Structure formats: C-alpha cells, structure tokens
Amino acid sequence: MTRALILGGTADANLLAAAIAQAHIDAVYSYGGRTRAPADQPLPTRIGGFGGVSGLADYIRREGITHVIDATHPFAAEMSRNAVAACAEAGTPLIALERMAWERTQGDNWIEVADVNAAVAALPATSARVFLAIGRQHIAPFAGKPQHTYTLRFVDPPEAPLPFSADVIVSRGPFTLEGELEMMRTRGINWIVARNSGGDGARAKIDAARILDVPVIMISRPELPERPRIESVTGVMQWLGHSTRLGA
C-alpha cells in the first residue's frame, strides 16, 4: 500500500495534496512550521521539524512511508538535503516536485548573485527604495546598508523587531501583475532583491520590474544533492502509480 509524505509549504505542494486526496492515496502533509497560519490541506497534516536526517529517517520508518515528495521551496536547502540523506538511510524512494527557475528574457535588468551577502553588496551606495522579496529569515544582512528605504512582504506580521526600519506588507500570494505594478509605483520602488524561486505564483514582481525598468538583484538557487525531480503534479501522480483527474 502506498503511504506518501509530502514535504510541503508551496503552492505546488498544495496542488499535489489536492490531487492525492482526490485519488484517495494515504498521505501526510508536512509543514516546516515557519508560517503561523498555514493553509488548510485535504490531508492529515503535521507541523514542525523532524530533528535532522536521523529524525526524518525514523519518522519514515515509524509511519510506514513508502514515497517521499520534496515539494518545499527551492531555497529550503537544509530540508531538501536532509530528505535526500534520510530517504537513502531508510531505503525510501524520493522525488522532488521542483518548478523551473526563471530565465532572463529581453528587457530584464538582472544582477545575478550567489547568495544574500552578495545581494547586499550589489545594492547601490546611494539611497534607494528597495523591495526585499526574500522572506523574513534572510533580511538581517541588509541592516549593513541602512541608507535604503526597504519594503518587505510577509505572510504573517513580524513577531520581533526588524533589524532596520521598513514598510511591511502582510499578504499571501499569488500576486497579480496589476497588483505588483501598483505596489511598486505607489512606494517608488527602484530596486528589487529576489530569490530565483521560479513558477508562476511569484513571477508577477519580475514581470512588473521589466515593465518599469527596475533592476533586479536575483539570488541563484542553492546547490543540492542529485535527486530525481519532476516539474508537474501530473508527473508526481504517475510516479506514485496514479492518474490526475482534477476537475473531472
């Protein structure tokens, strides 16, 4: 019998959960615990870490997990690395549901960098209005350039003081091109710092930057161990031995 574990927290993971529930596959959806009010899922849900590689391997064995799907954010590198090692230890098949990275197109003004520290260094020395579209866990290094006016967008309101003064937007995506254009024009955004997460749900800000000729400091994805990967929910369902009939 199939019993799947979805390592989730993304829009793609939510679509997969819906497909698995509709196919009546036994599965568990796991949230990392960073969001205080995660979206409801049509599957049994757990929240929180596993306790590293050994903890995840123990969970897989204890719960009789037969398949693991890593549908975490492309920048959730620690969880993805742990999943590769834990599945190897437990002898359990793993696949990554991984959206394609964005590619530069005509009109894009990107400065591609390796990490957050390089993104800080790439910002101008003179004052600018900067939209940091990188999540709350990675903003502290930008305190090193306090001359800028920062705009942040979080799913939840910040619980602790931020390391610098900022305009905080509390909102959950996906976001529209029209909404991103309005946000950037209203706040006078003239730089964006973004992670190359790929997919459609977060792309609108990149398209808006192209239209407004706003430079984007684009942080490249982290290096991850080799693992099977697929780009669609349909492909994951086929890997599980089931078909997808969403909307049927």
Side-chain angles (χ1 to χ4, degrees):
M1 293 292 292
T2 299
R3 180 165 167 78
L5 171 64
I6 302 173
L7 304 174
T10 62
D12 292 335
N14 298 345
L15 292 173
L16 176 61
I20 283 179
Q22 191 170 54
H24 303 289
I25 300 172
D26 186 12
V28 178
Y29 189 108
S30 178
Y31 278 109
R34 295 189 183 275
T35 302
R36 295 202 298 275
D40 291 336
Q41 299 297 334
L43 298 172
T45 301
R46 67 173 302 282
I47 299 175
F50 292 93
V53 173
S54 60
L56 178 54
D58 288 344
Y59 179 89
I60 290 169
R61 288 187 288 253
R62 184 174 66 251
E63 296 296 323
I65 301 297
T66 63
H67 298 74
V68 176
I69 304 104
D70 180 1
T72 58
H73 193 277
F75 282 78
E78 183 178 6
M79 184 70 255
S80 293
R81 292 179 184 123
N82 287 352
V84 171
C87 286
E89 182 178 323
T92 302
L94 166 72
I95 199 165
L97 175 55
E98 183 178 279
R99 65 191 81 162
M100 287 291 291
W102 296 316
E103 295 185 358
R104 186 198 303 259
T105 62
Q106 185 174 2
D108 284 326
N109 181 5
W110 289 7
I111 301 170
E112 297 184 73
V113 298
D115 53 33
V116 169
N117 289 331
V120 175
L123 282 173
T126 56
S127 177
R129 293 184 176 273
V130 182
F131 176 33
L132 292 184
I134 59 173
R136 74 180 66 206
Q137 289 81 33
H138 310 285
I139 64 172
F142 290 90
K145 286 197 171 175
Q147 69 269 34
H148 300 310
T149 300
Y150 293 105
T151 294
L152 312 176
R153 185 163 60 198
F154 301 146
V155 174
D156 301 312
E159 293 181 311
L162 299 175
F164 46 78
S165 178
D167 173 22
V168 177
I169 303 170
V170 179
S171 184
R172 186 190 297 268
F175 301 100
T176 66
L177 176 59
E178 293 75 15
E180 296 292 64
L181 285 168
E182 180 182 4
M183 182 274 292
M184 291 169 63
R185 285 171 174 149
T186 300
R187 291 168 170 79
I189 300 298
N190 45 31
W191 284 81
I192 294 178
V193 180
R195 299 180 295 178
N196 196 335
S197 55
D200 295 329
R203 185 182 176 86
K205 62 179 175 286
I206 307 303
D207 295 333
R210 184 187 313 112
I211 292 169
L212 298 176
D213 195 25
V214 170
V216 177
I217 299 174
M218 185 68 75
I219 302 173
S220 299
R221 292 183 177 185
E223 292 292 329
L224 294 173
E226 283 295 322
R227 59 198 175 145
R229 57 173 297 276
I230 204 156
E231 297 168 16
S232 69
V233 169
T234 299
V236 174
M237 295 299 289
Q238 291 171 348
W239 179 74
L240 291 170
H242 293 73
S243 60
T244 308
R245 299 187 180 89
L246 288 177

